[in-house]
């Protein structure tokens, strides 16, 4: 691979500098590098050991929890989720952390442990700002809202639903959120406000297409009208919702519609109310939905007598005791899982901390003397290296400056004067100078040679960087303007030149001089634009000409262009050169003000 000229030049300079350092100092420097590498590797190994995070294991435990949850093995699911949570680092993996908390809180919620569910899910609030998936945050807010609803904290429930509604989630989740707000309003007995939210959704295609959601919406509208004593309208919506649910063959949802019809006829037609309650009980029994069965039994007991009353009451008591025992048992099991996990984690943390402390003590004892020697060697090496570096840099820059100046002057004398002088000499030898016209032509050629000599002298003379700098710069630029070359200068007077140091002023002067020399020699340009601009931190110069241009891929960065790039880079500037055949030549460079 061919190394670009600029890079090869930098490499050769670095090799030159390294060879200037005595062998003894090079030896100490090698020792310093060796120790630095060893300690760096040890430190990285310790950090890597501490920062290892097994995301795959977390994902696997979450998957096992999902499988158990789908099979209604909630205690096993909770165990797997809790294990995943114990090794999950929320700052590195906020999405798995939040989703795991939500799975655990949902299990507690299903078991009626709403306060425990809220305690669990609230741990994720601190990390929602790191989560990229809005759906995870939506799930978190919905879990909090449902917990608030079930603990009669309507205000908080609505607040969480509104936060969920502001998230960038799909239309189905937004519909669920709107319906959740309506449910909270119904529970708060604000039925008209709930209807204002629900009724606009009734005839929307995206709602009707979601049959399960649509049936629930119709049911809620019916309940609102029932609470407002509009029984006829209420019956219409509840019946319509029941028909949709029958098509879905969802027994739990059908049972809910029957219970609502039972409530609707509770005072008008008790026997019909009891009949709907029995239908609801039968539907709930198909899916073993205990809460629904208890609701149905309460309605059936109201309008039963004698044997039926005893039968339904006994069933209700047994079922209620059963669900309490089940919920309490599962609640205790979940609490035990969390407690055991916490205790195990604390014990492991103590052992790990103790082992780490012992390792660090041994490591500190082992490296104490080495570090002291290393500091001494490092200090000596840095002092010596700094001394030789500064000395060699100053000498090298002086040599390079002299060499560059001599090379440039030599090239200009050769390119611009030698040929003209030769032609003038030939003219004088082969022409009759007694003729007035020939004598005048000879004087004209000598005058042109004198002018070029004077220009070269001015190009390499000392540049004024005091208050006359702008005038000197403007005069230098104007010397390149001819009848065929028009130079437009903008923004020169808008720059605060007083805050720019001498080195940068000289660099700007020389760079523009080189660009204008190249323009006159090669570009055949008729129009040149130079624009100065200053922002808060930089001075920016744009050079443009309408010359014949060249292919930037074929530009050889030597002589003038090399000087331009080298000058800009030496003062920590940036430069971009762009050109295309017949498209002119453009140079952008930027220098820091400070």
């Amino acid at each position: 691979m061919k190394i670009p000229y600029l890079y090869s030049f930098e490499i050769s300079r670095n090799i030159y500098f390294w060879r200037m350092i005595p062998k003894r100092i090079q030896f100490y420097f090698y020792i310093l590098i060796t120790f630095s590498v060893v300690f760096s590797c040890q430190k990285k190994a310790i950090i890597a050991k501490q920062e290892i995070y097994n995301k795959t294991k977390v994902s696997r435990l979450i998957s096992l929890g999902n499988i158990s949850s789908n099979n209604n093995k909630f205690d096993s699911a909770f165990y797997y989720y809790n294990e995943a949570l114990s090794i999950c680092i929320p700052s590195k993996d906020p999405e798995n952390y939040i989703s795991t908390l939500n799975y655990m809180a949902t299990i507690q919620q299903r078991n009626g442990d709403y306060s425990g569910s809220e305690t669990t899910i609230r741990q994720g609030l601190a990390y929602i700002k790191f989560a990229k998936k809005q759906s995870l945050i939506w799930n978190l807010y919905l879990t909090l809202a449902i917990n608030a609803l079930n603990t009669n904290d309507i205000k908080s429930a609505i607040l969480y639903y509104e936060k969920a509604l502001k998230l960038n989630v799909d239309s189905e989740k937004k519909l669920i959120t709107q319906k959740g707000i309506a449910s909270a309003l119904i529970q708060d007995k604000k039925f008209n406000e709930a209807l204002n939210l629900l009724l606009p959704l009734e005839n929307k295609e995206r709602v009707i297409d979601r049959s399960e959601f649509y049936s629930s919406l119709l049911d809620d509208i019916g309940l609102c009208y029932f609470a407002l004593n509009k029984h006829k309208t209420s019956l219409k919506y509840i019946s319509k919702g029941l028909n949709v649910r029958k098509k879905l063959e969802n027994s739990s949802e059908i049972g809910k519609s029957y219970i609502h019809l039972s409530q609707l006829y509770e005072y008008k037609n008790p026997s019909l109310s009891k009949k709907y309650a029995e239908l609801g009980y039968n539907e709930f029994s198909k899916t073993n939905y205990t809460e629904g069965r208890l609701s149905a039994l309460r309605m059936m007991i109201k309008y039963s007598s004698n044997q039926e009353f005893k039968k339904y009451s006994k069933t209700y008591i047994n079922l209620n005791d059963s669900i309490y025992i089940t919920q309490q048992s599962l609640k205790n099991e979940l609490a035990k899982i969390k407690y055991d996990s916490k205790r195990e984690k604390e014990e492991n943390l103590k052992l790990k901390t103790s082992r780490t402390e012992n390792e660090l003590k041994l490591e500190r004892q082992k490296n104490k003397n080495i570090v002291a020697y290393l500091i001494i060697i490092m200090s000596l090496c840095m002092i010596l290296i700094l001394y030789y570096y500064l000395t060699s840099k100053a000498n090298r820059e002086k040599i390079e400056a002299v060499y560059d100046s001599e090379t440039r002057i030599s090239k200009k004398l050769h390119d611009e004067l030698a040929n003209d002088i030769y032609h003038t000499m030939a003219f004088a030898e082969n022409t009759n100078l007694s003729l007035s016209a020939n004598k005048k032509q000879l004087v004209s050629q000598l005058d042109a040679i004198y002018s070029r000599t004077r220009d070269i002298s001015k190009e390499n003379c000392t540049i004024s960087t005091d208050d006359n700098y702008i005038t000197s710069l403007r005069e230098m630029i104007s010397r390149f303007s001819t009848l065929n070359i028009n130079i437009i200068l903008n923004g020169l007077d808008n720059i605060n030149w007083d805050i720019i140091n001498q080195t940068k002023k000289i660099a700007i002067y020389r760079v523009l001089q080189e660009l204008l020399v190249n323009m006159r020699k090669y570009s055949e340009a008729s129009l040149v634009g130079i624009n100065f601009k200053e922002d808060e931190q930089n001075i920016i110069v744009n050079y443009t000409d309408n010359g014949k241009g060249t292919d930037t891929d074929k530009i050889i960065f030597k002589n003038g262009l090399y000087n331009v790039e080298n000058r800009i880079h030496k003062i920590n500037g940036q430069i971009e050169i762009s050109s295309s055949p017949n498209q002119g030549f453009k140079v952008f460079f930027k220098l820091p003000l400070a």
Side-chain angles (χ1 to χ4, degrees), residues 109 114 118 122 137-166 176-188 190 197:
Q109 199 176 78
Y114 301 110
E118 184 170 357
R122 276 189 174 277
I137 305 171
W138 182 86
N139 285 332
L140 184 146
Y141 282 140
L142 235 68
T143 303
L144 283 167
I146 293 168
N147 286 331
L149 271 181
N150 284 281
T151 53
N152 291 317
D153 187 359
I154 309 299
K155 187 177 179 180
S156 295
I158 292 174
L159 176 66
Y160 289 127
Y161 276 128
E162 287 176 346
K163 284 185 176 183
L165 197 61
K166 292 176 183 178
I176 292 170
T177 310
Q178 287 177 288
K179 188 174 175 299
I181 295 172
S183 298
L185 292 170
I186 291 171
Q187 191 166 323
D188 201 27
K190 296 179 179 178
L197 284 176

Side-chain angles (χ1 to χ4, degrees), residues 256-268:
K256 289 178 184 178
S257 293
Y258 281 138
I259 293 299
H260 293 155
L261 287 171
S262 176
Q263 293 170 345
L264 186 66
Y265 287 105
E266 184 176 358
Y267 301 108
K268 289 185 175 182

Side-chain angles (χ1 to χ4, degrees), residues 152 169 248 391 418:
N152 291 317
V169 291
L248 292 171
T391 305

Side-chain angles (χ1 to χ4, degrees), residues 42 70 95 114 135 204 238 245 255 280-281 298 324 362 371 453 469 489 511 544 555 580:
Q42 288 181 349
N70 292 335
E95 294 183 348
Y114 301 110
S135 58
K204 291 188 176 181
I238 294 173
R245 284 171 170 172
Y281 181 83
R298 282 194 289 269
Y324 175 78
L362 290 171
V371 170
T453 307
Y469 175 76
L489 192 60
V511 166
T544 308
I555 292 177
S580 299

Side-chain angles (χ1 to χ4, degrees), residues 165-363:
L165 197 61
K166 292 176 183 178
L167 297 172
N168 185 19
V169 291
D170 58 49
S171 58
E172 185 172 357
K173 286 183 171 57
K174 287 192 178 291
L175 288 173
I176 292 170
T177 310
Q178 287 177 288
K179 188 174 175 299
I181 295 172
S183 298
L185 292 170
I186 291 171
Q187 191 166 323
D188 201 27
K189 297 183 180 180
K190 296 179 179 178
F191 304 109
N192 285 318
E193 290 182 33
L195 284 172
N196 289 337
L197 284 176
L198 296 172
L199 288 174
L201 302 176
E202 179 187 356
N203 297 317
K204 291 188 176 181
E205 287 186 18
R206 60 193 177 117
V207 175
I208 297 170
D209 291 341
R210 295 174 172 86
S211 299
E212 190 169 334
F213 180 86
Y214 182 53
S215 63
S216 179
L217 177 78
L218 294 171
D219 206 52
D220 282 350
I221 294 172
L223 288 176
C224 289
Y225 280 122
F226 174 66
L228 295 170
N229 292 320
K230 297 180 180 180
H231 291 183
K232 190 174 181 180
T233 309
S234 173
L235 178 62
K236 171 189 167 185
Y237 278 100
I238 294 173
S239 300
K240 190 175 179 181
L242 174 61
N243 291 331
V244 176
R245 284 171 170 172
K246 283 181 178 179
K247 291 178 183 178
L248 292 171
E249 298 181 356
N250 188 329
S251 297
S252 296
E253 297 300 316
I254 293 170
K256 289 178 184 178
S257 293
Y258 281 138
I259 293 299
H260 293 155
L261 287 171
S262 176
Q263 293 170 345
L264 186 66
Y265 287 105
E266 184 176 358
Y267 301 108
K268 289 185 175 182
N269 192 339
S271 61
L272 187 58
S273 175
K274 180 185 173 186
K275 179 184 175 183
Y276 279 125
E278 288 173 345
L279 289 171
Y281 181 83
N282 293 333
E283 292 296 331
F284 291 135
S285 298
K286 292 177 183 179
T287 57
N288 199 25
Y289 180 35
T290 309
E291 291 289 344
R293 289 165 69 191
L294 288 172
S295 299
L297 283 168
R298 282 194 289 269
M299 297 298 296
M300 290 160 66
I301 290 169
K302 281 185 181 181
Y303 303 107
S304 299
S305 58
N306 300 329
Q307 295 298 322
E308 277 191 342
F309 180 83
K310 291 180 181 179
K311 175 185 172 184
Y312 293 150
S313 298
K314 185 178 180 181
T315 304
Y316 181 87
I317 292 168
N318 291 337
L319 194 60
N320 195 44
D321 289 344
S322 173
I323 190 173
Y324 175 78
I325 293 168
T326 302
Q327 287 183 345
Q328 195 61 37
S329 175
L330 184 57
K331 185 177 179 180
N332 292 338
E333 182 66 25
L334 299 183
K336 185 176 183 299
I337 289 169
K338 291 186 76 173
Y339 174 77
D340 290 344
S341 175
K342 184 179 179 181
R343 186 178 63 182
E344 184 180 352
K345 188 176 181 181
E346 287 175 352
E347 289 175 355
N348 290 337
L349 187 61
K350 286 179 181 178
L351 290 171
K352 189 175 180 181
T353 303
S354 177
R355 186 169 62 250
T356 304
E357 286 177 355
N358 291 333
E359 288 177 357
L360 288 173
K361 285 178 181 178
L362 290 171
E363 194 67 30

Side-chain angles (χ1 to χ4, degrees), residues 113-129:
D113 184 12
Y114 301 110
S115 59
S117 175
E118 184 170 357
T119 301
T120 300
I121 197 64
R122 276 189 174 277
Q123 297 175 57
L125 285 173
Y127 300 98
I128 58 175
K129 58 186 176 183

